[in-house]
């Protein structure tokens, strides 16, 4: 350790530290500056948005854009729909992934290698958009919220990581539960799941963010505009050259530019607020299940 410390105290080591810090600060700035610009723009006046090409602090604060959004019946309906679909979809996808990962974590499962080969195959090759659409149509899921949840119910990457995590759990715990008369589902629910909180919390976040940000599925499968999610509302607002009060279900016309910035912030902030609660599980959950094959 002393030798490594001495090496980084040399001029070359100090130069490396300086370059490393500069590069990381630059990458961080590239990532955070657009977010800060959108945040500042959401509180700026229409005149400032049209006259200043870039700013991180508005000269005059206004909440007109947020008032227009929060007073919009279309936005409120889309927001509630997205929260409900995200909550139900995350629970279903995580449950189905765990139910498939648990038996695959058993070394003596018949056909385990074949099933895992098929899982890996789906990571490389997919059916494509049209076959998937036809399947969703034949199952009668078109224009229903299930079309946003079930086609991506089990992610192969998530399945493999969770399976590896289950494999690493002590077998003695399961054997003790079996001696007490517990069946496999009881063992999964009462023994395996409580011990798997880090990996489950990690992939719950992945599933939730994926559903929350999903734009293609509602665009393809939902024809009824009253069922649109927040991402479809975001598309409608940002793609329109101008919005009327009727478009948003408001009494007053919204700000032409400010509402675009505000709706982006409203669609982004819930995910940012959820991350700190799962952060303590994030790194552990990602790494601990990826050690073994």
């Amino acid at each position: 350790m002393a030798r490594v410390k001495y090496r980084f105290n040399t001029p070359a080591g100090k130069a490396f530290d300086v370059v490393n810090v500069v590069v990381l600060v630059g990458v961080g700035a590239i990532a955070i500056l657009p977010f800060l610009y959108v945040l500042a723009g959401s509180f700026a006046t229409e005149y400032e948005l049209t006259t200043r090409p870039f700013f991180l602090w508005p000269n005059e604060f206004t909440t007109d854009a947020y008032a227009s959004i929060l007073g919009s019946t279309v936005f409120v309906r889309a927001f509630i729909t997205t929260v409900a679909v995200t909550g139900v979809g995350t629970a279903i996808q995580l449950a189905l992934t765990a139910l498939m990962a648990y038996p695959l974590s058993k070394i003596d499962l018949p056909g385990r290698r074949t099933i895992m080969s098929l899982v890996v195959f789906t990571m490389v090759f997919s059916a494509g958009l049209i076959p998937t659409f036809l399947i969703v149509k034949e199952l009668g899921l078109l224009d229903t919220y299930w079309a946003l949840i079930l086609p991506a119910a089990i992610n192969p990457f998530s399945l493999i990581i969770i399976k590896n995590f289950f494999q690493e759990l002590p077998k003695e715990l399961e054997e003790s539960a079996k001696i007490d008369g517990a069946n496999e589902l009881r063992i999964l629910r009462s023994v395996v799941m409580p011990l798997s909180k880090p990996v489950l919390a990690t992939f719950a976040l992945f599933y939730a963010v994926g559903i929350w940000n999903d734009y293609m599925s509602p665009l393809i499968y939902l024809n009824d505009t009253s069922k649109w999610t927040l991402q479809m509302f975001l598309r409608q607002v940002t793609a329109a050259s101008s919005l009327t009060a009727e478009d948003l279900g408001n009494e007053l016309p919204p700000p032409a530019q400010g509402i675009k910035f505000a709706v982006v912030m409203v669609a982004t902030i819930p995910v940012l607020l959820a991350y700190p609660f799962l952060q303590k599980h994030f790194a552990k959950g990602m790494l601990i299940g990826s050690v073994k094959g």
Side-chain angles (χ1 to χ4, degrees):
M1 292 297 294
R3 187 177 303 174
V4 174
K5 184 176 180 181
Y6 173 77
R7 184 186 304 133
F8 281 93
N9 283 332
T10 62
K14 293 179 179 179
F16 172 80
D17 289 341
V18 171
V19 172
N20 197 26
V21 170
V22 170
V23 171
L24 292 178
V25 170
V27 173
I30 292 173
I32 196 65
L33 284 178
F35 176 81
L36 295 178
Y37 171 61
V38 174
L39 177 62
S42 67
F43 289 103
T45 61
E46 290 295 294
Y47 175 78
E48 189 171 4
L49 288 171
T50 55
T51 56
R52 296 179 65 186
F54 181 81
F55 56 90
L56 298 178
W57 191 266
N59 293 328
E60 181 181 350
F61 277 84
T62 177
T63 58
D64 291 346
Y66 288 100
S68 295
I69 292 176
L70 297 179
S72 167
T73 56
V74 179
F75 165 77
V76 173
R77 183 174 61 241
F79 186 85
I80 294 175
T81 297
T82 304
V83 171
V85 170
T86 301
V88 174
T90 301
I92 290 176
Q93 292 181 354
L94 197 62
L96 292 178
T97 303
L99 287 172
M100 185 173 180
Y102 179 66
L104 289 176
S105 66
K106 308 298 183 181
I107 305 297
D108 56 350
L109 177 71
R112 178 175 177 270
R113 287 184 176 273
T114 302
I115 297 173
M116 286 305 303
S117 298
L118 294 174
V119 170
V120 175
F121 181 84
T122 62
M123 297 179 65
V124 182
F125 303 99
S126 64
L129 179 60
I130 295 177
T132 303
F133 177 84
L134 293 176
I135 292 174
V136 171
K137 180 182 178 181
E138 292 300 321
L139 291 175
L141 301 179
L142 279 183
D143 222 18
T144 68
Y145 296 127
W146 294 113
L148 311 182
I149 299 172
L150 296 182
I154 299 178
N155 182 277
F157 173 77
S158 304
L159 174 68
I160 293 173
I161 300 298
I162 295 175
K163 175 194 75 71
N164 290 344
F165 187 95
F166 289 167
Q167 268 182 231
E168 296 170 10
L169 295 176
K171 303 302 180 185
E172 292 78 9
L173 296 176
E174 296 184 24
E175 293 172 357
S176 299
K178 288 181 180 179
I179 293 175
D180 293 336
N183 56 25
E184 294 293 347
L185 283 177
R186 180 64 183 273
I187 294 173
L188 175 63
R189 185 179 72 252
S190 302
V191 179
V192 176
M193 298 290 276
L195 295 174
S196 306
K197 288 181 180 179
V199 72
L200 294 177
T202 299
F203 287 100
L205 178 63
F206 283 179
Y207 279 134
V209 172
I211 298 173
W212 183 274
N213 292 331
D214 188 12
Y215 162 72
M216 287 300 297
S217 295
L219 178 64
I220 296 171
Y221 302 129
L222 298 183
N223 298 318
D224 187 353
T225 56
S226 64
K227 296 181 179 180
W228 277 3
T229 61
L230 187 58
Q231 298 305 319
M232 293 301 295
F233 176 78
L234 177 61
R235 169 185 174 271
Q236 182 188 23
V237 171
T238 55
S241 56
S242 62
L243 292 170
T244 63
E246 185 179 356
D247 293 331
L248 299 179
N250 282 350
E251 296 181 357
L252 298 176
Q257 298 298 324
I259 192 172
K260 297 181 181 180
F261 290 85
V263 74
V264 170
M265 291 305 305
V266 172
T268 305
I269 286 176
V271 176
L272 297 179
L273 294 179
Y275 179 77
F277 296 99
L278 301 174
Q279 185 178 10
K280 63 180 180 179
H281 301 299
F282 192 77
K284 183 180 179 182
M286 278 297 296
L287 294 177
I288 198 167
S290 59
V291 176
K292 290 185 179 180

